[in-house]
Amino acid sequence: MGRSRVQVTYWLENAWLGTHTAPAILLTVADDRIAEVRTGVDHPPAGATALRGLTLPGLANAHSHAFHRALRGVAQIGARPGTAPGGGAGSGSGVTGARSAPTSFWSWRDVMYDVAGALDPDSYFALARAVYAEMALAGITCVGEFHYLHHQPDGTPYANPNAMGEALIAAAGEAGIRITLLDTAYLHGGFTRTGYRPLEGVQRRFGDGTADRWYDRWSRLKGEGHAKVGAAVHSVRAFSDRDGYRLFAERTADVPVHIHLSEQTAENQACTLLHGRTPARLLADNGFWRPNTTAVHATHLTAGDIALLGTGGGTVCMCPTTERDLADGIGPAPQLRRAGCRMSLGSDSHAVIDLFEEARAVEMNERLQARTRGHWTAAQLLRAATDDGHASLGWPDAGRLEPGALADFTTIALDTVRTAGPPPRLAGEAAVFAATAADVRHTVVGGRHVVRDGRHQLVQDVPGSLAAAIGALRH
Amino acid sequence: MGRSRVQVTYWLENAWLGTHTAPAILLTVADDRIAEVRTGVDHPPAGATALRGLTLPGLANAHSHAFHRALRGVAQIGARPGTAPGGGAGSGSGVTGARSAPTSFWSWRDVMYDVAGALDPDSYFALARAVYAEMALAGITCVGEFHYLHHQPDGTPYANPNAMGEALIAAAGEAGIRITLLDTAYLHGGFTRTGYRPLEGVQRRFGDGTADRWYDRWSRLKGEGHAKVGAAVHSVRAFSDRDGYRLFAERTADVPVHIHLSEQTAENQACTLLHGRTPARLLADNGFWRPNTTAVHATHLTAGDIALLGTGGGTVCMCPTTERDLADGIGPAPQLRRAGCRMSLGSDSHAVIDLFEEARAVEMNERLQARTRGHWTAAQLLRAATDDGHASLGWPDAGRLEPGALADFTTIALDTVRTAGPPPRLAGEAAVFAATAADVRHTVVGGRHVVRDGRHQLVQDVPGSLAAAIGALRH
C-alpha cells in the first residue's frame, strides 16, 4: 500500500510545534496525512515546496453561521434608541438594516432574520462557498457550521429535506476546507412564562416540528471525505426538556454536539423563571454535558454553571469578535479553563473572519475586564485555534504537526508590516499578538495546496464571489 | 500666482464627505491643497489618476511613541504572577521580555524602558522612519509623536540637545507623512507620599531638570513644511504644580498641548493622596484645560473630571488597542463626547497600527461595557480619525475633502475579502466596521502619492526596515 501513496514534501522555514517554534522543518505528506516531521533541515531540498514564514497547524473555526457574512458592515448603522428584548421574529425589509438601527442582540436578530428569509439552496451554496473560501484565505482548514436554515420560508421541507445542509457541505468542498455540519434542532420560538412559544415568521424555516422528525432528517445526512455530520441544539429557548435532551444526547453520542449557552441574560432570566434553574443546570440535569459537547458563548454563567461545564469534560467555544459586536459581554474563559474545559474559537457572525483576532481577543477582553495582563499564553490560545478546535468538531486527528495527523496547515508571513520585528523563536507570540488573516500566505488541507502565495487556488475571485452572492440577496 | 501652480487631478470612485459616501468625484489638487471637489463625474477624465474604492481624508494618528513598535509581539510572553505597581525605573535585560512576563502596565513599562535605553539619534531615526512608513501604508497622513526620549542615557544632553526630536521630524519626512512633535516635559519619576521622586535609571534620558530648561530646549525646535512643533506634559506624576502648569500653558498657548491623563488608577490614587484632588481637577485648578489641550487615555475619570474636560473645550485621545493591551480599562468616551469634548485616536504603543481598528474598538469596547450597541456612528468615528484628529495636532486645515484643505487622503479597497459585500453607499460603515490597514491601497500627502497600489513609494522595503531597525536593538 505504501508504495502507491502520493508523497509531497514541504520545507517549513519555521513551524509551530504545539509548545514552541522550531526552525527548518521538512514535512513529508503521504496522501492526506503527515508521514514524517524532520527537524534541522537547514535548506529546502530539491523538489520540496518551501513555505517561508511560520507554519501552524490548520485553524479550526468552531462556530460559523455562514449566512451572517451578508450582514458585515450593514447592520451597524446609527445610534438610535434600543428596543426591548423579545422572542418574536422579524418582519423583513432587506439586508441594509435601514428599518432600524440594531442596538441590541434582539434588534440585530431582526436584521439577521431578513437575510435568513431570503436564502434558498442555490443562493446559500453560492454565499457559503465564498465565505468558506474567505476562511481558507484566513488559514482556516475546518469549519463547524451551526446550521438551522433547513426548510422553505413557510416551513415546508424541500423535495430533498437536507438540500440546505448538503449545499453547505458542497460549498466547503468547493472552497477546499473541511466541514462539520452541526445540524441543529430548533423547535420553539422562545420562552413564555409557562412554556414555549411556537416558531413564527422566518423561524418556521428552522423547525422540524418534533425531536423525532429532526432525528429522522438528521439521520439521512451523510459525511464524506471532507465532511462530518455533527448535531446541535440551538439553545434552551428552542428545545425543551419535554423534547428530550437525554434522548437527543443518546442519539448523538458518537458525534460532536454543540449548543448556544447563556449568550444573553434575558434568556437566562426566562429559563430560570420557567425552570427554576439556569440553562447550564437544566442541561446538566438532563445529562447533556459530556466530553463530546461544546457550549458556545457561555457568556453569562454562575460559579455553579462553570463547575458543571468543567465536570462535563467538554469544550467551550468563545466567539469574542461576535460577542463584542453583539454587545453580549465577556465570558469567563479563564475560569472555565481552570474548571477543566477545553476552549475552541469561532468567528460566528463573521463580522470578522480572523482566528488570530479571535485568539488575541480572548486575552484582550480579559485584560479589559480583570485589568491585569497574562491570562493566556500564546501556546494556550493557539491550541484553542488548532488542536482543541478540531477535537470539538470531531477531527481529533487534525490540528497538530506530527506524523499520522491530517496534513492540514497554514503559513503566515513574518515579513509583513504587522509581523516584522520579533525574532523567529517568538513567531508563535507574533502570530497571536500581531498577525491578522491578511498575513496568511498558504493553506494546505489534506495535503492539497488550497491557498498559495495568498491566492485561493479553487475559487478564482473570492471578493467578487462574496459581493455577487451578497448583492443577490438585496431587494 | 495660480498659473504657476502644479495641478493634479484624482478621480475617486467613492469618497467620504464627512457625513456620507458619494460616488464619482473629481478632485483637483493645486500644489499641496485641494482646489476643487466636483461630484457626478461618472468616469475618470483623461489625465486623472483613478482611485478605486473609498477615498477618505487622511487619517491622523494623534498619539504615538514610535519606539514602542520594537515591543510588538515580544512583550506578551507568559502568564506568571504580576508585580506591584511601582514608580521606579527598569534595570534592563534586552528587548525580548525574557526577564519577566509583563502582567501589568508597570511591569510592561520595565520592558519598554529597556528599549528606551538602547536608542540613539541614528537608531531612533531608522526605527521611526520604518514605523512612520508603516503608518503611511495604513492610511495615516499625520502623526502626533509624544516625545520624551531627549538626552543621552545618563541624562547628558547630546551636542545638539534636540538631536532625538529632529531625528523624528526627519524620519517622518522620509516616510512622507506629516508630524506634530509633541516635545514632552518629564521632570520627575513619580509620586511619593510627600512629593515627587527623582528620575532614575533610563528615566534620566527624559528629564531637562527644570521647566525653564525644558522651555529653553523646546524653543529651539523649528517646524518645517511637513512638521509642526507642539508640546506635552508627560503626566501629573512627571510634572508638579510647583513646576508651573500655568506658565507652561502660557508658553505653549499657540500650539497643541497633550498630556497623559488618568491611564492608571494607581496614579490617580497617588495624586489624590498628595494633592487631595484627581489629576483632572489638579490640572483644571492650574488652568491647563483649554481648547488646544488633548487629554490622552482619560480612562479612569470621575463624573466631575468628565465635566471639567468638557468645559475646557479640548480633545480626548483614545488609544483603545493599547488600552486593552496594557489592561488599562475602558475610558468613558461617550460621556466625554456628551460633556463637550472632541475625540481623536492614537495607536500609542503600536501593538497594532490600524486606525480603523482603533475607531471600531471605541464602539466595541463600549458595547462590552454597556451591553448595548450603537454608541458611535461610523461618521462620528471617522471624524475622530480624520478632522478632529488633525485639529488636535494643530492641522485644522487637514482631515476633510473640501476646497482649501490640505491634499491629504487615503483610499481603501472595497473589493477585498474583508470589505466586499456592503453596497457602495455604506462604504463609510464598511471602513469602520470591516476594513483593516491591510485594505489601504493609496495614501496621498500634500498631493504627493506616497503609497500607490499598496506599495510605499519612498521607503522601498518597509517590513525589512522594521526588522533591521528592531533587530539592531537586540543585545
Side-chain angles (χ1 to χ4, degrees), chain B residues 94-142:
Chain B
V95 183
T96 59
R99 177 187 43 208
S100 67
T103 54
S104 74
F105 170 86
W106 304 101
S107 52
W108 169 87
R109 197 182 67 161
D110 288 343
V111 181
M112 181 268 281
Y113 276 3
D114 292 343
V115 180
L119 290 158
D120 63 28
D122 288 342
S123 59
Y124 203 7
F125 168 79
L127 177 56
R129 172 176 173 270
V131 174
Y132 296 154
E134 181 179 353
M135 289 185 194
L137 288 168
I140 293 162
T141 54
C142 185

Side-chain angles (χ1 to χ4, degrees), chain B residues 68-240:
Chain B
H68 292 191
R69 174 64 179 81
L71 300 171
R72 187 187 297 173
V74 303
Q76 300 283 1
I77 310 163
R80 306 191 207 145
T83 59
S91 55
S93 73
V95 183
T96 59
R99 177 187 43 208
S100 67
T103 54
S104 74
F105 170 86
W106 304 101
S107 52
W108 169 87
R109 197 182 67 161
D110 288 343
V111 181
M112 181 268 281
Y113 276 3
D114 292 343
V115 180
L119 290 158
D120 63 28
D122 288 342
S123 59
Y124 203 7
F125 168 79
L127 177 56
R129 172 176 173 270
V131 174
Y132 296 154
E134 181 179 353
M135 289 185 194
L137 288 168
I140 293 162
T141 54
C142 185
V143 61
E145 180 67 31
F146 196 106
H147 168 58
Y148 53 79
L149 212 53
H150 302 306
H151 303 299
Q152 298 185 58
D154 66 355
T156 311
Y158 288 103
N160 168 4
N162 282 316
M164 292 292 259
E166 289 173 11
L168 294 166
I169 288 175
E174 291 222 355
I177 69 171
R178 301 184 196 279
I179 185 172
T180 297
L181 186 73
L182 299 159
D183 188 283
T184 303
Y186 197 131
L187 303 180
H188 309 288
F191 288 114
T192 66
R193 292 184 71 92
T194 55
Y196 296 82
R197 77 177 77 240
L199 301 175
E200 54 185 30
V202 74
Q203 292 176 331
R204 292 175 296 169
R205 305 198 74 169
F206 311 163
D208 291 293
T210 67
D212 283 346
R213 275 189 273 166
W214 171 83
Y215 179 68
D216 283 349
R217 185 180 54 70
W218 179 76
S219 303
R220 285 180 239 173
L221 282 163
K222 295 278 169 279
E224 45 186 292
H226 75 288
K228 289 185 191 284
V229 176
V233 166
H234 179 273
S235 58
V236 292
R237 69 178 189 270
F239 192 97
S240 78

